Amino acid sequence: MRWLASELHTHTFHSDGRQSLRELAAGAAKLGFDCIALTDHNTMSGLGDCEQVQQETGVVIIPGMEWTTFHGHMVTIGLQNFVDWRKAGQSDIHEGISMVHGQGGLAGMAHPFRIGSPVCTGCFWEYEIRDWNDLDYIEVWSGTFAPVKPENRRAFALWTDRLNAGIRIAATSGRDWHEQTATDDPVSVTYLGLDDGPGTISQQAVRALAQGRAAVTTGPLVTMEAEADGTWYGIGESVPVENGADLINLHVKIDFSVRQTLWELPAQDFALKITGNSGTLAQFAARSADQIHRFSIPADGLIWARAELWGIVKGMRTMVAFTNAIYIS
């Protein structure tokens, strides 16, 4: 499977960014991204020279738009056409999500716990959600050095709570990238697992996110597979567990070769955790020389599981990477 290094939340001159699409894509290429989603606030006008910029930079561009309202910011990715945000009221966001889906797009909560008005109008999510199954994903890491920020920890906890409630919803990172400024902070990447199905790479990337086939990291790429009755299941898929089965076999791969030279972590023993609805299911030491970790976890009562990599970053112990969930049914 090809994993596409993606930045899913960006802006240009066409909203409040301070960069053109060409500058954005060129900057993304230098940071080792294969793909960006252009998500200007309430407009898709910045996509005018999308095809030419893709050819010049080699960076895949996913069409999108950030609904920027008084009640929250919602990132929409994969839109075929503009979808008007102005009718969205605090209690009827589901109608807006339905319109986004009708245009082939996905809808995700952007930075749901960022400080709101008057510092950032509408940045804090206040839309009423009646059915979490309608929402496609939550941007759980926002900005640079995202894992250590309190608002991101709240977003990550929200995602975990939704998984525990039986909702199958994806999690992403998004820099909310407005300008070409250098930073020493770790930059997050959302890797999207492309299938061999039809469509452009952009369409395959949107389909990967729709199916939860995503992993997020500030360094190495962590992926996971689960085995039951001789069949392997990937991230975002559901593992059927027959009555009487008591263990699920997992393979977790840590790939330290991705985006080489573009991130750096001190030499250390990392902690690889398997987390599910019942808490931490397994924990092992992982070193940079390690590649695949094999172990089994109890199946009884389990409805989801993900892999997490923890370590020391800039002197702080924090999560380095995580996979989206594998579900158990």
Side-chain angles (χ1 to χ4, degrees):
M1 176 177 294
R2 177 185 177 188
W3 290 93
L4 201 70
S6 305
E7 167 54 64
L8 299 178
H9 190 161
T10 71
H11 298 283
T12 69
F13 292 130
H14 286 255
S15 63
D16 60 345
R18 289 172 286 280
Q19 56 192 343
S20 67
L21 180 58
R22 183 168 284 98
E23 291 168 336
L24 170 62
K30 290 179 181 177
L31 291 175
F33 286 102
D34 305 307
C35 170
I36 57 173
L38 180 58
T39 55
D40 275 321
H41 299 281
N42 298 335
T43 181
M44 296 178 71
S45 60
L47 290 160
D49 54 356
C50 173
E51 292 295 331
Q52 184 176 350
V53 172
Q54 285 188 124
Q55 292 177 8
E56 291 176 2
T57 63
V59 174
V60 175
I61 300 172
I62 303 175
M65 181 171 66
E66 184 176 11
W67 281 28
T68 306
T69 77
F70 292 117
H71 310 299
H73 293 191
M74 184 171 76
V75 183
T76 66
I77 291 177
L79 290 173
Q80 297 173 2
N81 294 294
F82 175 85
V83 179
D84 197 339
W85 77 98
R86 288 172 293 184
K87 295 181 180 179
Q90 190 168 3
S91 61
D92 56 12
I93 190 60
H94 289 276
E95 286 75 2
I97 295 173
S98 179
M99 290 191 294
V100 170
H101 288 164
Q103 289 298 327
L106 306 179
M109 299 174 78
H111 44 66
F113 294 108
R114 186 178 294 178
I115 190 170
S117 298
V119 176
C120 179
T121 302
C123 285
F124 189 93
W125 184 277
E126 294 179 321
Y127 282 112
E128 299 170 12
I129 299 179
R130 300 189 300 273
D131 185 353
W132 281 88
N133 292 296
D134 280 0
L135 207 60
D136 297 292
Y137 67 94
I138 302 171
E139 184 184 82
V140 299
W141 283 3
S142 176
T144 56
F145 206 1
V148 303
K149 294 180 176 176
E151 63 269 26
N152 290 332
R153 291 176 178 172
R154 292 184 67 186
F156 198 89
L158 172 67
W159 175 48
T160 302
D161 288 344
R162 294 302 86 203
L163 294 176
N164 289 342
I167 305 298
R168 298 186 174 187
I169 186 169
T172 66
S173 65
R175 183 171 173 177
D176 204 352
W177 194 4
H178 284 75
E179 59 184 331
Q180 294 292 315
T181 53
T183 178
D184 293 330
D185 283 348
V187 174
S188 304
V189 181
T190 302
Y191 281 90
L192 300 174
L194 304 191
D195 59 27
D196 296 324
T200 65
I201 295 177
S202 174
Q203 291 167 335
Q204 292 173 352
V206 173
R207 188 163 63 236
L209 181 54
Q211 297 173 356
R213 205 163 47 249
V216 178
T217 184
T218 57
L221 169 61
V222 180
T223 56
M224 182 168 69
E225 292 182 298
E227 184 270 339
D229 293 331
T231 301
W232 286 94
Y233 300 86
I235 296 169
E237 294 185 310
S238 181
V239 181
V241 176
E242 302 295 335
N243 291 335
D246 56 1
L247 291 174
I248 295 175
N249 300 314
L250 296 178
H251 285 185
V252 177
K253 181 178 180 181
I254 306 175
D255 185 348
F256 287 88
S257 70
V258 295
R259 297 175 65 249
Q260 280 186 326
T261 74
L262 295 173
W263 55 270
E264 184 177 3
L265 292 171
Q268 61 185 292
D269 282 348
F270 296 93
L272 175 61
K273 297 181 182 180
I274 303 300
T275 302
N277 47 292
S278 55
T280 301
L281 303 167
Q283 180 170 330
F284 298 90
R287 298 174 179 168
S288 59
D290 296 336
Q291 290 294 312
I292 298 178
H293 301 261
R294 299 175 175 83
F295 41 89
S296 300
I297 57 174
D300 185 34
L302 194 63
I303 61 174
W304 65 270
R306 68 172 174 244
E308 302 173 359
L309 189 69
W310 288 73
I312 303 298
V313 183
K314 299 186 76 170
M316 302 175 65
R317 178 171 173 74
T318 185
M319 191 182 296
V320 176
F322 66 89
T323 72
N324 268 258
I326 288 178
Y327 302 98
I328 294 91
S329 58

